[in-house]
Amino acid sequence: MPNGYNGKILHVDLTTSTITVEEPPDVFYRTYLGGKGIGTYYLLKEVPPGADPLGPENVLAVSLSVLTGAPISGQSRVVINAKSPVTKGMGDSEAGGFWPAQAKAAGFDAFIIRGKAEKPVYLWVHDGKAELRDASHLWGKVTGEVEKTIRQELDDTKVEVLQIGPAGEKQVSYACVINMANRANGRTGMGAVMGSKNLKAIAVRGKGSPDIADREALKKLARWGKDHLKESVVYGYHLDGTAGDVPYMQADGGLPTHNFDSGVFDGYEAISGQVMTQTILKERDTCFACIVRCKRVVEITEGPYQVDPLYGGPEYETVATLGSCCNVDDLAAISKGNELCNMYGLDTISTGVMIAWAMDCFEHGLITTEDTGGLELTWGNAEAMVKLTELIGKREGFGEFLADGMTKAAKKLGPEAEALAVACKGNPLPAHMPRVKRLLGLHYAVNAAGADHMTVEHDPSYTELSDRISELGLLNPQPIGVMNAEKVRFTAYTQWLYHSLDCAGVCMFVWGPSYQLYGPGQLVEMIRAVTGWDFSLWELIKVGERSANMMQAFNAREGFTSADDRLPDKLLQPLKGGPTDGLRYTIEEFESSRSTYYALCGWDTEGHPTRAKLEELGLSWLVE
Amino acid sequence: MPNGYNGKILHVDLTTSTITVEEPPDVFYRTYLGGKGIGTYYLLKEVPPGADPLGPENVLAVSLSVLTGAPISGQSRVVINAKSPVTKGMGDSEAGGFWPAQAKAAGFDAFIIRGKAEKPVYLWVHDGKAELRDASHLWGKVTGEVEKTIRQELDDTKVEVLQIGPAGEKQVSYACVINMANRANGRTGMGAVMGSKNLKAIAVRGKGSPDIADREALKKLARWGKDHLKESVVYGYHLDGTAGDVPYMQADGGLPTHNFDSGVFDGYEAISGQVMTQTILKERDTCFACIVRCKRVVEITEGPYQVDPLYGGPEYETVATLGSCCNVDDLAAISKGNELCNMYGLDTISTGVMIAWAMDCFEHGLITTEDTGGLELTWGNAEAMVKLTELIGKREGFGEFLADGMTKAAKKLGPEAEALAVACKGNPLPAHMPRVKRLLGLHYAVNAAGADHMTVEHDPSYTELSDRISELGLLNPQPIGVMNAEKVRFTAYTQWLYHSLDCAGVCMFVWGPSYQLYGPGQLVEMIRAVTGWDFSLWELIKVGERSANMMQAFNAREGFTSADDRLPDKLLQPLKGGPTDGLRYTIEEFESSRSTYYALCGWDTEGHPTRAKLEELGLSWLVE
C-alpha cells in the first residue's frame, strides 16, 4: 500500500517538563485515523486502571486527524480524551474552530499530556517546536482575557488558544475546554482534567500546510459541497443556527422541558434560532475552511443581560438546556448564560441540566433557599439561572454544591433527588428526548462516555430514509416513539459511523448523514484524496467500531458493568402534554434492546468486548 | 432512495407444472443482490427441515444477479443452491459462461424450482415466457449431444442450455450442472438434485438488455479493466489458464499430491498450464463480455485419450485433483477425465479426490481388485483414473460404490478408510493445501457448504498485501504455514467478501482482490453504475455476511453443530517432502481458531448464528 501519511505526535510530561516527538508509521494512522481513535489508544496504553481522573496519572489527549487542515468544509475539529471526572470512565469531547487547523499547521496530529506541572503553565507550539511557559499571570482569568494576553505576549494575532477557564482551574467536574473563546470541547469534564494538571492553555501557530495526495479530487469534492450547500439540511443551520431546530423539536414533542418531564414548551418560539436571527444575531461565524457558517455571534448591549460578541452565541443544546429544560423563555438570559459558560469554561449542557435538576429538587422541597443562599430556584426564573451559572463557574455559594456533578450532588440529597437526575453514568442528558427518539435511550445508556448527542444518528424515524443513511445498508424507516431490533441495528451502525467521524476529526453537521451535505461515501473519497490510501466505507466504519470498542474496553478495565448502562428513572415516566403526551420508555424494551445491542456488538452480557471482537478489530494488544 | 432495480423471478412447480412470475421490490434486490443471497433466501423460506435432498420437497434455486448481462468483464455467473445430497446442508455452486447473460436477457433474475416432474422435462425460457417441454428423448444423453438437440428442436443456435448429464439423472451425489457443455456448477451435487426432479435442462434465449443507471460510469470502468488487464495477476490465467498455477503451487509446497499426503509432485511440470499452452491448447474461450479469456479449449486427436474441444479443457482444480492428487502426470489422460466429467456431468474436484481416496484405500488394502472389477488403483495409474471417472459417470461397476460420495463410501469401509477421506461435511477438498495456506483449514471446516475454494481469499501470506486487500482494512501481512487471530479475522472478512461476490454474481478472478484486475471498491462502483443505488463497500460486505449467516442458519436448522465443523484427519498429519515437509495442522490451533471465528461471527459455541446477529443483518424473519 502507498505510504500515505507522515505525522507527528507531541508528548508532554508536565511533571518533568519533558517534551518528545513521536513519528508513528503510516499503518498507525490508517488504523486509528486520529481524534478519539488516537486519544483512546494512548489512554489505554498509559493510564493505569483506577487512576484518579484529577490526579497526575491521568493523560489528557488532544487530537486532530489525518484530515485536519485540508481545504474543505468540516475538517477543523479537535477531540479531547482523558479519564473523566464526570463518568469515571473514558471521557470524550469534540469541538471545531480555527485552533485545530492551526495546531496541525504547527506540525502535530496530537498532544499527549501527562503528569502535573508544579505551577500553572501553558504549552506554546509553533512550527514543529514546543515549549512550556509560565501561566501564573493567566490563572484565574476568563477565556477572552487570556486569549488576548497570550496573543499579546507572543506578539502574533494569529495564535490560536485552547484553554480552560476558572471553572477548569477549580476542577468543576464538568468544566470544558474552550478555543476562540467560544468553541467548547464541552462534555465529560476535560477542562477539569486540564486544570488538575495546572495546564492553562495550548497556544498554537504554524505555517505548515497539509500534504494532499490528490489535490484535484479534493478540490472537486469541495466544489461539490459549494454547489449543494443550499439544498442540504445543514443550510438551515447557516440561516438560523442549530437553535433553528427548536420549532421542529417542539412540533415533534421532543423539546426537553421542565427537566425532561415534557417534550413541549410554551415559550419555545422566543428561544428559537429564528427569533435569534431576527433580534440579537450580529454575524455568522465559521470554522477553518468551512462554507456552512453555522456558528452564531450574538450581541446584546442593553438591558440586564448584555453579551459580548467575543463569546459567540448559544447553540440548540444551550437554548434547550439553559432554556426550555429550566422553563426559561428569555433568549437574552440564555445568551448571558452561554457567555458565562464560555468565559468560565463550563459545559452548557451539563450546566443547564444541573440547574434544571436543582429547580426540580427545589419544587420537591429537596433544596430550599437556605441551601441556595436565597436564590429562588423556581421554574422559568431566568435571573436565578444566570446567577447560578456564574456561581458554578466560580465555584461559589450554591455553585459549590453543584460543581462536583450530578452523581455526587444527587447522592447527598438522597433517593428522591437521584430519581430526578437525568444523566447516564453521571453525564447529564443533552437536549434530545429518548422517549421520542427512542434509540437514544439505548445509546445514552450504553455509550462509554454516557449521554452524548454527538455519537449516534438520532432516530430512523423518517418517512423516507436519506440516501446517506441507505449507504450504511439501513433501508427500512421505522416509526417514531418505539424501540425494536431494527433500531438497535441502526444504533450500532450509526454509532460506529459517528465514532469514525470523531476519529477522522470531521464535523457531524457537514459529514453526518442526516444533515445531507456530504455522505459517508464522500468522506471516504476525502480520506482517499488526502492520504492516498485505498480506503473504503467498510474500513471507515471498522475504524469507528474499533474506537467504540477501545472506549468500552477502557471502561471495562475500570470495572464498569451492565449495571452502569442504565436509563435515568425519568425516562420511564410518561411525558406530559403535546403530541407525545403519555409516551414513556419501558424497562422491558430497554433491557431487551440492551442485550441485543451487546450481542450485536460482540460484547458479553456485562457489556465487555469479547476477545474475539477485539481480535477482529486488530486490537489483539488489548487482550489481557 | 432511488427505485433502482426492477426484476423478475420465475417460480416453477414441477409436480403441478405451474409457472408463476414474482416481481420483488427494489429493497429485496438491494438486500440480497442475487446469486446465493436469493437462492438461500428461498431455500430458507420453502424447504422444510429434514427434507430429503433428492426428494420433491427440496428446492433448486438457479440465480443470476442485478449485474448479470451488464457489458463488463466477469459478470455472467450463475449460482445454484439446493439442500445438498453431499453435505445434507446448504448446497452451493457457481459457474460462468454465456448462459447467465442469456437467461437474464430472457427476462429473469432467478429460477426457483420445486417438486418433481412425472417424466423428464426441460424448461424453455424465452423473452419473458416460460414453458415445460418433454425431455424423454434427451434422457440418458451426454451434455454435448443434448445441447445440439435442443438447439435444433428450438431452431435457434443462440439458445443456451444449462443441464445435467447422465450422472445427474442417476443422482450421483456429486453430479454437477453444466452449461455450454464445459462450464460447471460443480460442487455439492446440484446436478443430483436437478436429476431427482426429472429436470434435464433449462434452455434460455432472449433479446432483453439490462437497465444500466449510469452507462458512462460503467463504460469507464470497462475501459479501465481493458487498460489494466495486462498488468493484473489474472492475466496469467489468460495466458496459461488456471492450471498455470501448478508451478507456483509446487514451489510453495502446496500442490495436493498423493491424496494430500504431500505438497509436491515430481510430475508437476507435465500437467501445468504452461505445458498445456504449448501442446494441446486449441483456443482461449471466454464468458459473456469478459476480456480475460481464462477458459481453455483443448483438442487431442491422437493416442489413447482423444478429446473433443466442445468439452473445453481442464482447470487448475481438475489437473490437481485428477492429476497430482492421484499422482497422475499424463495431461492427455487428465484432459480425457475432464471431458468425461463434462459429458456425464460430474464435479471434477469430487471425482478426482474420490479416486485419490480409492487409490489410498487400495494401497492400504482396504479396496482390492475384487472390489474394483479388476481395476488396479495404483498411484499414477492414468488409465484407471480415466476408466473410473467413466464408471462413476455411468454409475456402473466400482463407480456405483463411489457414486454416493465420500461419507457413505468411507463408512462402508470403516474407520481406517474414513481417516483417509479428505473432505469437510462430506465435500472433498479442492486442490489447496490447508497445512500451507493455513486459514483454509479453518474455512473449509466451518464453511456451510463444506470445503470450497470459491468462498474465501486463500491466505494473507504475501510479503506485501495488495491494495485490494487493504481496502478491507487488512493491513498486516502474515507468515505462511501458521494460524493466528489475525488470520481468523482475514478469513471472516474475505469470506464475507467472497459471499458478496457470489451474491453479486461476479467472477472471483475478475473481481476477487488477489487477482488484482478490479478491486472491491470498483465492484461497488459497478453496482452503483448498474443500479443507481448509493451502494458502499460496507453494504456489500454486509450482503456477504448476510449470505453466510443465512447458509449457516439453514444448516443449524438441519441440526448441524460444531461437531460438523471439523478438519479431516489427514490435515493433522505432517506433509511429506518439499519445502513444506513436516508441516501439519494441530488440533489445538484449529479449535482455538474455530472458537475465535464463531465468536467473531456472532455465533454461539455450536456455530449457530445468534438472534442478535440475525437481527443486525436485517434477518429478523429468520429468528424463530
Side-chain angles (χ1 to χ4, degrees):
Chain A
M1 82 206 83
N3 191 14
Y5 190 78
N6 296 303
K8 289 191 178 119
I9 291 176
L10 191 76
H11 293 269
V12 179
D13 188 324
L14 292 170
T15 305
T16 59
S17 300
T18 317
I19 297 180
T20 55
V21 174
E22 182 190 6
E23 297 191 45
D26 177 71
V27 71
F28 173 83
Y29 286 103
R30 187 156 171 179
T31 305
Y32 304 106
L33 285 183
K36 67 173 85 170
I38 286 186
T40 308
Y41 174 85
Y42 285 105
L43 266 287
L44 280 163
K45 291 272 185 186
E46 305 197 1
V47 178
D52 176 4
L54 299 176
E57 285 182 329
N58 202 358
V59 168
L60 185 81
V62 178
S63 312
L64 317 169
S65 96
V66 299
L67 303 176
T68 316
I72 190 165
S73 295
Q75 48 51 53
S76 186
R77 303 280 293 174
V78 52
V79 180
I80 305 187
N81 299 103
K83 184 171 174 183
S84 165
V86 175
T87 67
K88 320 295 184 204
M90 177 62 71
D92 175 49
S93 194
E94 294 79 35
F98 280 73
W99 191 90
Q102 193 65 256
K104 183 74 167 274
F108 297 98
D109 299 301
F111 306 86
I112 311 299
I113 296 158
R114 301 163 190 76
K116 179 183 177 176
E118 218 172 307
K119 289 179 182 175
V121 293
Y122 73 94
L123 180 65
W124 165 226
V125 182
H126 50 109
D127 288 317
K129 292 184 283 291
E131 58 183 295
L132 288 166
R133 296 173 65 112
D134 180 53
S136 306
H137 58 302
L138 304 172
W139 210 247
K141 291 199 171 136
V142 296
T143 55
E145 226 175 306
V146 167
E147 181 168 281
K148 202 190 298 175
T149 308
I150 289 180
R151 282 179 179 161
Q152 275 169 352
E153 72 187 40
L154 296 173
D155 194 23
D156 188 338
T157 55
K158 288 193 171 158
V159 167
E160 290 293 344
V161 179
L162 181 98
Q163 60 170 316
I164 53 168
E169 296 172 10
K170 293 182 174 164
Q171 300 174 28
V172 172
S173 78
Y174 43 95
C176 68
V177 177
I178 293 275
N179 80 79
M180 298 176 77
N182 53 46
R183 312 302 167 92
N185 289 84
R187 310 307 317 274
T188 66
M190 299 297 93
V193 175
M194 197 161 156
S196 77
K197 297 192 169 306
N198 273 333
L199 179 66
K200 179 68 175 171
I202 305 177
V204 294
R205 178 75 171 105
K207 294 182 196 72
S209 68
D211 286 339
I212 309 288
D214 184 346
R215 278 197 181 270
E216 249 336 291
L218 192 68
K219 223 179 255 180
K220 205 176 138 195
L221 208 54
R223 207 177 307 124
W224 189 97
K226 217 169 166 181
D227 293 344
H228 291 79
L229 175 62
K230 288 201 176 169
E231 66 207 47
S232 74
V233 171
V234 79
Y235 191 63
Y237 289 175
H238 169 82
L239 295 175
D240 295 319
T242 52
D245 276 351
V246 168
Y248 304 108
M249 295 291 185
Q250 171 79 8
D252 287 346
L255 183 68
T257 303
H258 202 282
N259 194 26
F260 289 84
D261 284 332
S262 172
V264 288
F265 178 48
D266 286 345
Y268 80 93
E269 209 169 351
I271 64 171
S272 69
Q274 288 77 357
V275 166
M276 197 190 306
T277 304
Q278 293 154 20
T279 54
I280 58 176
L281 187 70
K282 182 181 161 73
E283 58 178 300
R284 295 176 172 90
D285 195 9
T286 187
C287 299
F288 172 77
C290 188
I291 59 173
V292 176
R293 304 191 79 85
C294 72
K295 298 299 294 181
R296 304 294 94 172
V297 179
V298 304
E299 184 172 34
I300 305 177
T301 52
E302 287 174 354
Y305 305 117
Q306 301 196 4
V307 173
D308 183 345
L310 174 66
Y311 293 103
E315 298 282 348
Y316 166 74
E317 294 293 333
T318 308
V319 303
T321 49
L322 294 175
S324 57
C325 207
C326 297
N327 284 43
V328 167
D329 63 1
D330 182 335
L331 188 58
I334 293 167
S335 300
K336 187 69 194 175
N338 180 65
E339 181 194 61
L340 288 165
C341 285
N342 286 346
M343 286 171 77
Y344 286 91
L346 281 177
D347 173 33
T348 61
I349 296 173
S350 304
T351 304
V353 178
M354 287 298 297
I355 295 173
W357 170 77
M359 287 176 167
D360 219 350
C361 290
F362 192 85
E363 185 184 42
H364 284 78
L366 304 167
I367 290 173
T368 66
T369 46
E370 220 162 289
D371 303 305
T372 65
L375 273 180
E376 293 278 345
L377 288 183
T378 47
W379 294 108
N381 185 342
E383 204 184 326
M385 178 274 286
V386 172
K387 184 67 199 163
L388 197 42
T389 300
E390 191 177 355
L391 287 174
I392 296 169
K394 292 181 170 172
R395 207 167 181 139
E396 285 176 7
F398 187 60
E400 173 66 37
F401 176 75
L402 298 179
D404 286 326
M406 193 70 100
T407 308
K408 211 164 161 184
K411 200 170 178 188
K412 276 184 194 158
L413 298 188
E416 203 182 338
E418 285 179 308
L420 302 176
V422 187
C424 292
K425 299 189 179 72
N427 195 18
L429 254 65
H432 303 269
M433 195 62 92
R435 281 165 284 185
V436 181
K437 299 171 175 180
R438 208 64 153 214
L439 66 80
L440 287 182
L442 170 64
H443 176 68
Y444 288 166
V446 299
N447 190 43
D452 183 356
H453 62 299
M454 303 282 282
T455 45
V456 79
E457 186 73 28
H458 286 175
D459 213 65
S461 309
Y462 309 97
T463 48
E464 201 172 334
L465 288 170
S466 79
D467 289 351
R468 277 66 189 269
I469 289 289
S470 73
E471 276 184 68
L472 301 180
L474 297 166
L475 306 174
N476 304 303
Q478 298 297 312
I480 208 163
V482 297
M483 193 65 200
N484 58 28
E486 185 70 16
K487 284 200 184 178
V488 176
R489 177 189 180 206
F490 189 100
T491 305
Y493 282 20
T494 65
Q495 184 194 10
W496 298 334
L497 178 69
Y498 275 74
H499 266 272
S500 77
L501 300 185
D502 290 339
C503 292
V506 297
C507 174
M508 64 188 271
F509 293 161
V510 178
W511 298 96
S514 65
Y515 303 94
Q516 300 185 27
L517 183 54
Y518 294 109
Q522 287 168 309
L523 178 54
V524 171
E525 280 179 50
M526 176 187 177
I527 295 171
R528 295 175 82 113
V530 172
T531 63
W533 297 330
D534 283 297
F535 212 72
S536 72
L537 186 58
W538 168 262
E539 199 173 348
L540 180 67
I541 294 178
K542 283 289 167 188
V543 167
E545 191 187 356
R546 184 176 298 123
S547 162
N549 275 270
M550 286 164 71
M551 287 181 70
Q552 195 71 6
F554 184 92
N555 281 11
R557 214 170 64 175
E558 295 292 339
F560 283 62
T561 67
S562 63
D564 296 292
D565 291 354
R566 58 192 170 75
L567 283 184
D569 295 345
K570 274 226 179 177
L571 302 191
L572 303 170
Q573 307 306 322
L575 280 171
K576 290 172 192 154
T580 50
D581 183 70
L583 215 55
R584 66 189 193 94
Y585 228 108
T586 72
I587 198 73
E588 295 75 24
E589 75 179 309
F590 169 69
E591 286 182 351
S592 144
S593 68
R594 187 181 62 182
S595 76
T596 301
Y597 175 86
Y598 284 166
L600 186 160
C601 287
W603 297 351
D604 66 19
T605 51
E606 291 299 343
H608 299 164
T610 58
R611 187 180 58 81
K613 175 50 78 177
L614 295 176
E615 286 175 343
E616 185 217 312
L617 296 169
L619 297 172
S620 299
W621 59 268
L622 247 181
V623 179
E624 267 107 337
Chain B
M1 82 205 84
N3 190 13
Y5 190 78
N6 297 303
K8 289 189 178 126
I9 291 176
L10 191 77
H11 293 268
V12 179
D13 187 324
L14 292 170
T15 305
T16 60
S17 300
T18 318
I19 296 179
T20 54
V21 174
E22 182 190 6
E23 299 191 45
D26 176 71
V27 71
F28 173 83
Y29 287 102
R30 187 156 172 179
T31 306
Y32 304 106
L33 285 183
K36 67 173 86 169
I38 286 185
T40 309
Y41 174 86
Y42 284 105
L43 266 286
L44 279 162
K45 291 271 185 187
E46 306 198 1
V47 177
D52 177 3
L54 300 175
E57 285 182 330
N58 202 357
V59 167
L60 186 81
V62 179
S63 312
L64 316 169
S65 95
V66 298
L67 304 176
T68 316
I72 189 166
S73 295
Q75 49 50 55
S76 186
R77 304 279 294 173
V78 53
V79 180
I80 306 188
N81 299 102
K83 184 172 175 181
S84 166
V86 175
T87 68
K88 319 296 183 204
M90 177 62 71
D92 174 49
S93 195
E94 295 79 34
F98 280 74
W99 190 90
Q102 191 67 254
K104 183 73 166 274
F108 298 98
D109 299 300
F111 306 87
I112 312 299
I113 296 158
R114 301 163 190 75
K116 179 183 175 174
E118 217 172 309
K119 288 177 183 176
V121 292
Y122 73 94
L123 181 65
W124 165 225
V125 183
H126 49 108
D127 290 317
K129 292 184 282 290
E131 58 183 295
L132 288 165
R133 294 174 66 111
D134 180 53
S136 306
H137 58 302
L138 305 171
W139 209 247
K141 292 201 170 134
V142 296
T143 56
E145 225 176 307
V146 167
E147 181 168 282
K148 201 191 298 176
T149 309
I150 289 179
R151 282 178 178 161
Q152 277 170 351
E153 73 187 40
L154 296 173
D155 195 22
D156 188 339
T157 56
K158 290 193 170 157
V159 166
E160 290 293 345
V161 179
L162 180 98
Q163 60 171 315
I164 54 167
E169 297 172 9
K170 292 180 174 167
Q171 301 174 26
V172 173
S173 78
Y174 43 96
C176 68
V177 177
I178 293 275
N179 78 81
M180 297 176 78
N182 53 45
R183 312 301 168 92
N185 289 83
R187 310 305 319 273
T188 66
M190 299 297 91
V193 175
M194 196 161 157
S196 76
K197 298 192 168 307
N198 273 332
L199 180 66
K200 180 67 175 170
I202 306 176
V204 294
R205 178 77 170 103
K207 293 181 197 73
S209 66
D211 287 338
I212 310 287
D214 184 347
R215 277 197 183 271
E216 249 336 290
L218 191 69
K219 224 179 253 179
K220 205 177 139 194
L221 207 54
R223 209 177 306 123
W224 189 96
K226 217 169 165 181
D227 292 344
H228 290 80
L229 175 62
K230 288 200 176 169
E231 67 207 47
S232 74
V233 171
V234 78
Y235 191 61
Y237 290 176
H238 169 81
L239 296 174
D240 295 319
T242 52
D245 276 351
V246 168
Y248 304 108
M249 296 290 185
Q250 171 78 9
D252 287 346
L255 183 68
T257 303
H258 202 282
N259 194 27
F260 288 84
D261 285 333
S262 172
V264 287
F265 178 47
D266 285 344
Y268 81 92
E269 208 169 353
I271 65 171
S272 69
Q274 288 76 358
V275 166
M276 197 190 305
T277 303
Q278 292 154 22
T279 55
I280 58 177
L281 187 71
K282 183 181 160 75
E283 58 179 300
R284 294 176 172 89
D285 196 11
T286 187
C287 300
F288 172 77
C290 189
I291 59 172
V292 176
R293 303 192 82 83
C294 72
K295 298 298 294 182
R296 304 295 94 174
V297 179
V298 303
E299 184 170 37
I300 305 177
T301 53
E302 286 175 355
Y305 305 117
Q306 302 196 3
V307 172
D308 183 344
L310 176 65
Y311 293 104
E315 298 283 347
Y316 165 73
E317 295 293 333
T318 309
V319 302
T321 49
L322 294 175
S324 57
C325 206
C326 298
N327 285 42
V328 168
D329 62 2
D330 182 335
L331 188 57
I334 293 167
S335 300
K336 188 68 194 176
N338 182 66
E339 181 193 61
L340 288 166
C341 285
N342 286 346
M343 287 171 75
Y344 286 93
L346 281 178
D347 173 33
T348 61
I349 296 173
S350 304
T351 304
V353 177
M354 288 297 298
I355 294 172
W357 170 77
M359 287 174 168
D360 219 351
C361 291
F362 193 84
E363 184 183 42
H364 285 78
L366 304 166
I367 290 172
T368 66
T369 48
E370 219 162 289
D371 304 305
T372 66
L375 273 181
E376 293 278 345
L377 288 184
T378 48
W379 294 108
N381 185 343
E383 203 184 326
M385 178 275 285
V386 172
K387 185 66 200 165
L388 197 42
T389 300
E390 190 177 358
L391 287 174
I392 296 168
K394 293 180 169 173
R395 206 167 183 139
E396 285 176 7
F398 187 60
E400 173 66 37
F401 176 75
L402 298 180
D404 286 328
M406 194 69 99
T407 308
K408 210 163 163 186
K411 201 170 179 186
K412 276 184 194 159
L413 297 188
E416 204 182 335
E418 285 179 309
L420 303 175
V422 186
C424 292
K425 299 190 178 72
N427 196 18
L429 254 65
H432 304 268
M433 194 63 90
R435 280 164 285 185
V436 181
K437 300 172 176 178
R438 208 66 151 213
L439 66 79
L440 286 181
L442 170 64
H443 177 69
Y444 288 167
V446 298
N447 190 43
D452 183 355
H453 61 299
M454 304 282 281
T455 44
V456 79
E457 186 73 27
H458 286 176
D459 214 65
S461 310
Y462 308 98
T463 49
E464 202 173 332
L465 289 170
S466 78
D467 288 351
R468 277 65 188 269
I469 289 290
S470 72
E471 278 184 67
L472 301 179
L474 297 166
L475 307 175
N476 304 303
Q478 299 296 311
I480 208 163
V482 297
M483 193 65 201
N484 57 28
E486 185 70 16
K487 284 200 184 179
V488 175
R489 177 191 180 204
F490 190 100
T491 304
Y493 283 20
T494 66
Q495 183 195 11
W496 298 335
L497 177 69
Y498 275 74
H499 266 272
S500 78
L501 301 185
D502 290 341
C503 292
V506 297
C507 175
M508 65 187 272
F509 294 159
V510 178
W511 298 96
S514 65
Y515 303 95
Q516 301 184 28
L517 183 54
Y518 294 110
Q522 287 168 310
L523 178 53
V524 172
E525 280 179 48
M526 176 187 176
I527 295 171
R528 294 175 82 113
V530 171
T531 63
W533 297 329
D534 285 296
F535 212 71
S536 72
L537 187 57
W538 167 263
E539 198 172 349
L540 181 67
I541 294 178
K542 284 289 167 187
V543 167
E545 191 188 355
R546 185 175 297 123
S547 162
N549 275 271
M550 286 164 71
M551 287 180 70
Q552 194 72 6
F554 185 92
N555 281 12
R557 213 169 64 175
E558 295 292 338
F560 283 61
T561 66
S562 62
D564 296 292
D565 290 354
R566 57 192 172 76
L567 284 185
D569 296 346
K570 275 227 180 176
L571 302 192
L572 303 170
Q573 308 306 321
L575 280 170
K576 291 172 193 155
T580 50
D581 183 70
L583 215 55
R584 66 189 194 94
Y585 228 108
T586 71
I587 199 72
E588 294 74 24
E589 75 179 309
F590 169 70
E591 286 182 350
S592 146
S593 68
R594 187 181 62 182
S595 76
T596 301
Y597 175 87
Y598 284 167
L600 186 161
C601 287
W603 296 352
D604 66 19
T605 52
E606 290 299 342
H608 298 164
T610 57
R611 186 180 58 82
K613 175 51 76 177
L614 295 176
E615 286 175 343
E616 185 217 313
L617 296 168
L619 297 172
S620 299
W621 59 268
L622 248 179
V623 179
E624 265 107 339

